[in-house]
Amino acid sequence: QRQQQQQQQQQQHDIKPSRDLFHGSSFWNVSRVEVLLFGKPEVTMPSDEKPEEVDKIMLVCISMFGLGFCGFDRCFVGQIWLGAIKGLTLGGLTIWYFIDLVVVLTNCLMLYDRIDVKALKWDVHFKETTVLPACIICVGLLTMLVTELITVLTFRHTLKSELRKRNLISARPNMDEIRDIFEKWDTDQNGKLSQAEMKEAVLGLGLPITDEQVEAMVTKADSDGDGQLDCMEFAAMVYRN
């Protein structure tokens, strides 16, 4: 029995190197791909060793300033090849970019110290001292973005007028602009502009005009002779002048 046990131990010892060699080779092949794509190998870390932590402030700034569109966010957390693929595909035709942006901003606003979304290959630990400042910066940037958006939507005609006066955009308004101005200054909503309404509309487009010019233009553009301009007559008048 002792001889049989020794023979079995010897056989297991002979087989073990080949198994170790096979598993070692498999580990290194898979591990290298994991490191290149996802920034870390699939191994269990010792309990006393902390994972690598990144600066959350930098990640938020990269994402919110649009650099994630080029894959810099993934590169920053160590996922070099994922970042390269994201950049070459233009942020996955912007879909990948917006998904990652939502993940980062949501995590930031929730004051989490880690992003752990396995389906999207997110597994990032943040420096504890950067979690709160990143949230404050995120809130500030979002507030500025929303404020600017509301301002542009509210005062888009005034903004275009100022840009047109400074020759920063074409002096020729497009049809959408003309239609918006026409509807805005048609105060009685009768589908016609009087001379007073027409003057305000032209001024709203950033084009200087006097009362005499208004009267002359209305007379010239008023094809039906009713002393007022409909939208098409108004547009023809603007383009002609």
Side-chain angles (χ1 to χ4, degrees):
Q1 292 178 354
R2 183 173 299 176
Q3 290 179 353
Q4 290 178 354
Q5 291 177 354
Q6 291 177 352
Q7 290 177 357
Q8 291 177 355
Q9 292 176 355
Q10 182 64 33
Q11 290 176 356
Q12 292 177 356
H13 184 270
D14 293 339
I15 295 174
K16 186 176 180 180
S18 64
R19 287 181 177 176
D20 290 343
L21 179 61
F22 173 78
H23 285 292
S25 176
S26 176
F27 168 79
W28 281 111
N29 289 337
V30 175
S31 177
R32 287 173 181 172
V33 175
E34 289 288 328
V35 170
L36 290 175
L37 286 178
F38 310 129
K40 61 178 183 179
E42 290 291 333
V43 296
T44 303
M45 302 182 66
S47 59
D48 59 343
E49 184 177 350
K50 292 184 178 180
E52 183 179 356
E53 297 178 338
V54 301
D55 191 325
K56 196 172 187 179
I57 298 175
M58 288 296 299
L59 181 61
V60 169
C61 292
I62 289 172
S63 299
M64 294 200 68
F65 284 107
L67 297 178
F69 185 80
C70 301
F72 288 127
D73 52 349
R74 293 287 185 161
C75 293
F76 179 72
V77 299
Q79 299 173 354
I80 304 300
W81 280 102
L82 275 183
I85 295 172
K86 186 177 180 181
L88 291 175
T89 59
L90 300 178
L93 300 178
T94 70
I95 297 175
W96 189 358
Y97 164 69
F98 281 110
I99 291 175
D100 280 353
L101 179 63
V102 170
V103 170
V104 172
L105 295 185
T106 302
N107 181 277
C108 185
L109 295 175
M110 297 299 292
L111 292 174
Y112 293 147
D113 61 355
R114 180 185 181 186
I115 298 180
D116 186 12
V117 184
K118 299 297 184 183
L120 300 175
K121 297 301 179 182
W122 276 108
D123 187 7
V124 182
H125 295 260
F126 299 112
K127 297 177 182 178
E128 186 176 354
T129 56
T130 64
V131 173
L132 181 58
C135 180
I136 296 173
I137 292 174
C138 179
V139 172
L141 291 176
L142 285 175
T143 302
M144 291 174 58
L145 179 62
V146 172
T147 302
E148 289 296 325
L149 181 61
I150 293 175
T151 302
V152 170
L153 292 177
T154 304
F155 302 103
R156 61 185 185 278
H157 298 304
T158 303
L159 177 61
K160 288 181 179 179
S161 299
E162 292 299 323
L163 293 176
R164 188 166 285 116
K165 288 177 181 178
R166 290 167 172 75
N167 295 322
L168 298 177
I169 61 175
S170 173
R172 182 183 177 89
N174 58 46
M175 192 61 194
D176 289 334
E177 289 182 76
I178 292 175
R179 188 177 294 109
D180 289 342
I181 291 294
F182 183 88
E183 294 175 354
K184 179 179 179 181
W185 293 105
D186 184 16
T187 55
D188 54 8
Q189 301 297 314
N190 65 347
K192 298 276 188 175
L193 286 181
S194 64
Q195 292 189 18
E197 290 173 336
M198 193 272 291
K199 180 180 178 181
E200 293 296 331
V202 175
L203 292 175
L205 291 172
L207 303 174
I209 193 170
T210 63
D211 291 337
E212 292 77 13
Q213 290 174 323
V214 170
E215 184 178 359
M217 284 190 294
V218 168
T219 302
K220 187 175 182 180
D222 184 16
S223 58
D224 55 10
D226 62 354
Q228 295 181 322
L229 300 180
D230 60 23
C231 186
M232 296 307 297
E233 292 172 339
F234 173 67
M237 180 270 300
V238 172
Y239 286 144
R240 184 168 54 250
N241 291 276

